[in-house]
Amino acid sequence: MEAKVKLPPLLSDNMVLQQKSNVRIWGKATPNSTVVVTPSWANKEVKTHADEKGCWELQITTPAASFEEYTLTLTDGEQSVTLQHLLIGEVWLCAGQSNMVMPLNGFDYCPISDSNNVIADAPNHPGIRMVTIKPTVKLSPQEYAEGSWQQPTTENAPKFSAAAYHYALTLQRTLQIPIGVITCAWGGSRVEGWLPKEILQTYKDEDLTLIGSDKTPVYLQSMLMYNGILYPCHKYTIKGFIWYQGESNVRSSRTYAERLATMVKHWRSIWKQGDLPFYYVQLSSIDRPSWTWFRDSQRRLAQTVSNTGMAVSSDRGDSLNVHPTRKKEIGERLAHWALNKTYGHNVIPSGPLFRSATFTDNAAYITFDYAKGLRTSDGDPIRTFEIAEQEGLYYPAQAVVENGKVKVWNDQVTHPKLVRYGWQPFTRANLINEAGMPASTFRAIKE
């Protein structure tokens, strides 16, 4: 007989629940029935009433994280459902486009570095649990999305998001607790795809009549990702977000930062968990002209939106391939932000990030955050700095570290007013800090 209590696929065996929280549990049952939920860690019933449509929601309190497996039993008095092999730990939602989708076994003709060893090692990490939400086209926000929790076996792991898996693996090795990951990504999606209709209606350049039509590819359409796969996850209690997206917006750098900031604000509002952390990947290097400006718009985002952090990836790019294969470093760099800012560990979260530029004595003096131990990755002189007196007339510049700053100059530029670093789509920039992490590309103007 079919169970009366029905749960969204996201609430399944093997799931990880956020530790030390009042987590939301929801679903459907017999209309007007009493729904009773019993977590095995508490042996205490939590009750609520289904409404006239059978919808119900309640909260249960979770203990501190551990590797002990638990159960969760739900009943409406007629039938019971028991979820098994549950863990209590830290839960993150990982969203974006194809570079977040890209699985450990890679794409066709685009493998992930060292993937075979990572997949073979996956069963040694049973405390990592992952769920991949299936892309589904919907014209209105959905209650449920397809996808259930899985353990990292050699059968399951090849399909896990490589960036998200390495993020989880790095967190677990440091925190020594279970890590749950909800991968909610859609290849080729624009940031507008992750926003609701009421926000999109305020953008004059967005033609909402194209949504659901065959006049433009599904992956480029607005709102569909939000409706079909993001919104259905918003009741699941999480610790924060990681984001790997931008390639499909790269020609709209002037609007991207503002719209991404709007997206972050809106996501936080629907999760109703406060100022949730949001860590994201700056675009890598590739021979496409507009990427320099776009990377800089991403850099500026972290300066304007609270509780964010940017993982630099320009040193891990490919001159021709939009899907860099070295996802291990990307996941690790995102995790460094979380370990430092969210969990308070003494881990350097980033490579050097531009703070300010002072123009004096015919040179520019650049200060950075996370600048301890400034040096180059290859032992060569610092390269890819450029300096100018006016826009459009840049000269290659010499650069050296002096008293914790980088001095930049060219003898032909006597009154410098602009400086930039790594300002090539496929950059060979080589400035790093003591952690060996790369500096972000940037552009600065004398004020």
Side-chain angles (χ1 to χ4, degrees), residues 4-7 25-38 45-51 54-58 73-77 79:
K4 299 293 183 182
V5 176
K6 296 182 180 180
L7 296 171
I25 305 294
W26 70 101
K28 292 186 177 179
T30 302
N32 302 310
S33 63
T34 298
V35 178
V36 180
V37 177
T38 307
E45 296 180 345
V46 181
K47 300 180 181 181
T48 192
H49 291 282
D51 64 20
C55 298
W56 59 270
E57 180 181 325
L58 53 74
T73 300
L74 308 94
T75 181
D76 66 353
Q79 293 286 329

Side-chain angles (χ1 to χ4, degrees), residues 45-89:
E45 296 180 345
V46 181
K47 300 180 181 181
T48 192
H49 291 282
D51 64 20
E52 59 185 15
K53 294 182 180 180
C55 298
W56 59 270
E57 180 181 325
L58 53 74
Q59 293 185 347
I60 56 175
T61 302
T62 54
S66 78
F67 289 99
E68 180 181 353
E69 291 194 340
Y70 295 106
T71 62
L72 191 67
T73 300
L74 308 94
T75 181
D76 66 353
E78 295 185 36
Q79 293 286 329
S80 296
V81 175
T82 298
L83 302 181
Q84 303 185 50
H85 309 298
L86 312 187
L87 293 175
I88 308 296

Side-chain angles (χ1 to χ4, degrees), residues 412-426:
Q412 294 179 267
V413 181
T414 56
H415 298 91
K417 295 179 181 178
L418 302 100
V419 64
R420 62 189 189 186
Y421 168 74
W423 206 259
Q424 304 84 31
F426 182 70

Side-chain angles (χ1 to χ4, degrees), residues 192 205 249-260 290 293-294 296-298 300:
E192 291 84 0
D205 60 326
N249 283 94
V250 79
R251 294 183 179 179
S252 54
S253 59
R254 292 184 179 181
T255 60
Y256 181 80
E258 178 184 350
R259 292 182 185 183
L260 185 58
S290 52
W293 292 95
F294 192 85
D296 212 45
S297 73
Q298 290 178 301
R300 293 193 301 272

Side-chain angles (χ1 to χ4, degrees), residues 19 65 67 90 92 168-179 338-339 342-345:
Q19 68 165 328
F67 289 99
E90 295 289 285
W92 288 79
L169 189 60
T170 305
L171 289 186
Q172 189 181 88
R173 285 172 170 166
T174 303
L175 302 178
Q176 293 291 298
I177 57 176
I179 304 295
L339 290 171
T342 303
Y343 298 110
H345 281 267

